[in-house]
Amino acid sequence: MQHLAIFDLDGTLVDRQSAFNDAVTGLCRRHGFDTTAEQWLLTQLADRANASDFVRLHAAFDLDASPAQLWQEYVDLMAASVTCRPAVLEGLARLREQAWTISIATNGASDIQRAKLGATGIGELVDGVAVSGDLEVRKPDRRLFELAADRCGLDLADGGWMIGDNPDGDIGGGHQAGLRTIWLRGRPWPDDLPDPHHAVDDVTDAISFLLTDHSE
Ligand SMILES: [Mg+2]
């Protein structure tokens, strides 16, 4: 068994929700958007955002700024708002010290996910990154997990761990990709999914679990 740990990003290594609220508030204030437009953004972008959402925003509210400009500002505001707790960064560094290879498998647009990885410092602590926007395939599709391993020069067939908060995308997908899984509790667990190998309340507990007992 190789020491491969693939992490989800949003809701696992970073708190997307608080960054999202700050970014939407900042964008609306900067452009003087009314509460209807702000509510539209908070609803439509609740799970994830990409450039096409800002084409729809532009059309729905007849805005002056171009969709491309609004998207870029949103990406910049998200990158400025999102943080990764020092304990999580330290945990990733410790994994690498102990010969783990770390990859990211995240659903989202390539530019915003990479901006978040760069701004938080996570990007410097991982060996590979697979963003669904790179391939136009999303977790739970096996191909995104394959890409995450491949970007580190490893083979998914040699196994590893998937750590994430989404039952279907991260845990169901990881299981189908032949990985062992650690679930960050929070969302309801679907009845039809196989149980994760381990469950934790915080990603630092998942890292401790890998460091202590489960490198093989
Ligand atoms: Mg997530």
Side-chain angles (χ1 to χ4, degrees), residues 128-145:
V129 174
V131 184
S132 66
D134 295 353
L135 279 188
E136 299 302 330
V137 295
R138 310 172 56 75
K139 292 178 289 185
D141 191 308
R142 177 189 175 90
R143 286 172 290 177
L144 199 70
F145 299 93

Side-chain angles (χ1 to χ4, degrees), residues 16-29 38 42 74 77-78 80-82:
R16 177 185 183 267
Q17 191 59 47
S18 62
F20 172 63
N21 291 333
D22 289 349
V24 169
T25 300
L27 190 71
C28 291
R29 191 175 300 149
E38 182 165 8
L42 290 171
Y74 173 77
L77 284 164
M78 279 296 278
S81 299
V82 74

